[in-house]
Amino acid sequence: MAIDDKRRYKVAEVSPRHFEQTAKRAGFPASTLQDVMAEVISALPGAAQKTLENLDDTIPDALVDSILTVTRKRAEQIEMYLNS
């Protein structure tokens, strides 16, 4: 997936539409992509909880909180995209 002519991008700049554009170029059905995105969003809370249960005490809480916050924001972004 390339966002600019230099074929590099920051992960935070990748949006759901970029996945759709790439899927379209690859001949991957948009409806299937949306199904996959919905499945990921549905599985995320359980996966996050399971991950939290398996973390050891050496991982700083601030790091865990930061990752969970970004994950939730990205999930919200995908949900907004799917509902548009």
Side-chain angles (χ1 to χ4, degrees):
M1 172 181 333
I3 293 178
D4 63 18
D5 292 335
K6 297 177 184 172
R7 297 193 180 274
R8 62 179 179 214
Y9 53 90
K10 295 178 182 175
V11 172
E13 296 172 351
V14 177
S15 69
R17 70 181 171 84
H18 294 120
F19 285 96
E20 184 174 326
Q21 291 167 351
T22 301
K24 183 177 181 179
R25 278 187 241 125
F28 192 82
S31 60
T32 303
L33 175 64
Q34 292 171 353
D35 290 345
V36 170
M37 287 180 168
E39 186 177 332
V40 168
I41 296 303
S42 176
L44 186 61
Q49 184 59 41
K50 186 173 182 177
T51 300
L52 288 173
E53 291 169 1
N54 290 306
L55 291 178
D56 61 46
D57 294 337
T58 62
I59 302 187
D61 288 341
L63 177 61
V64 173
D65 292 343
S66 176
I67 292 170
L68 289 176
T69 298
V70 170
T71 302
R72 284 187 203 108
K73 285 181 182 179
R74 296 297 271 178
E76 290 170 5
Q77 184 183 32
I78 294 169
E79 285 178 331
M80 287 174 48
Y81 175 79
L82 291 173
N83 293 326
S84 64

